Each structure stands twice: as structure tokens, then as C-alpha cells.
Amino acid sequence: ASGSEMTMVWTSAKSSETASSSADAAGRGAAAPRGTAAPRRTFFAMPEGDALPVVGGLIGANVGVWCAWQVVDERLMTEHFTLSNDDVLRRPHTILTHFFSHQSGWHLIGNCVTLFFFGPEVVGALGAARFLGVYGGAGLAAGGGA
């Protein structure tokens, strides 16, 4: 069999397996997934569905703030994008804005790569709103030592 025939056979077998497992789950009265299921994607494919604006927006915000740290006055960035126990009452927005500041370019790359590959799966499992809640909770926990 040629490569394309093998792919078609494997794809149709996988489709039947998925369909039968879905039917089995439906027959057992399994609960519907909470979020929109993340579509299967190739390794470097862009996120789709609910994940695209959520994951893309977070990556964009992280990159945008990192770029601002490179060109904007450091005092302004420190006042508005870092969390300090002394200043949080005067600048409560820093509780959220510090989520997007990174120690280095490598820190930013590591976080964005992780977000790109795992974010769509988590958005699919939890839904966009719950995913943003988890993201926010992680940001609050990360700033807890300030």
C-alpha cells in the first residue's frame, strides 16, 4: 500500500475508534465537556476556536510588555508593571499588570512557548473564562513573594 493509502486507512480507523468511544461515553451518560474541545492540531499549527484569541492575546500582551521594557523609561515601567507591597495601594492595577513582566528574554520565550503548546488544550478542557482564571491565579501566586 502506498503512503497515502496507509494514511487514509489509519485516519479512518482512528475516526471510527473516536466515534465508537464517543458513542460509548454517551451511552454511559457521561457529562459533556465544560469548554469547547480543542481541535486536534499539528505540532506548529496556530491555536483555533476559543483558544486563538485567548492564547494569542496573552502571548501578544506578554511580548508587548517585554518590548515596552526595552524602549520605555524604566521608572515608568517599574511603577506600572511590577508589584510592590509599598505601592500596591497607590497602584492597584499592578496586581494585574505584573503578570506580563519577565525577568529576561529567555523567561519570556519559555513562558510563551509553554502557553502556545499547552494553552489551547487547557482552554479546550476548561473553557476560556476558567483558563483565564487559572492564568490569573498563577500570576497572583507568582507575585505573592513581592
Side-chain angles (χ1 to χ4, degrees):
S2 72
S4 62
E5 289 172 345
M6 292 295 286
T7 302
M8 289 176 60
V9 169
W10 184 82
T11 304
S12 61
K14 195 72 174 159
S15 298
S16 328
E17 179 183 309
T18 304
S20 65
S21 64
S22 297
D24 291 346
R28 288 192 306 263
R34 291 191 177 160
T36 303
R40 293 184 84 47
R41 59 191 188 119
T42 60
F43 190 67
F44 285 113
M46 289 299 296
E48 297 175 344
D50 290 345
L52 180 60
V54 174
V55 172
L58 289 173
I59 290 173
N62 279 288
V63 170
V65 169
W66 187 83
C67 289
W69 273 101
Q70 308 312 303
V71 296
V72 175
D73 180 30
E74 190 173 322
R75 289 173 295 177
L76 177 73
M77 293 302 292
T78 301
E79 284 180 16
H80 295 286
F81 288 91
T82 60
L83 190 59
S84 165
N85 289 335
D86 300 332
D87 292 335
V88 76
L89 294 177
R90 289 186 311 144
R91 294 186 187 89
H93 61 281
T94 61
I95 293 171
L96 298 178
T97 59
H98 86 275
F99 295 0
F100 304 102
S101 290
H102 291 81
Q103 195 77 22
S104 69
W106 290 112
H107 179 200
L108 171 72
I109 290 169
N111 283 2
C112 288
V113 165
T114 301
L115 188 56
F116 179 83
F117 287 110
F118 293 105
E121 299 301 322
V122 180
V123 170
L126 300 179
R130 284 195 173 120
F131 173 78
L132 289 171
V134 170
Y135 189 88
L140 291 173

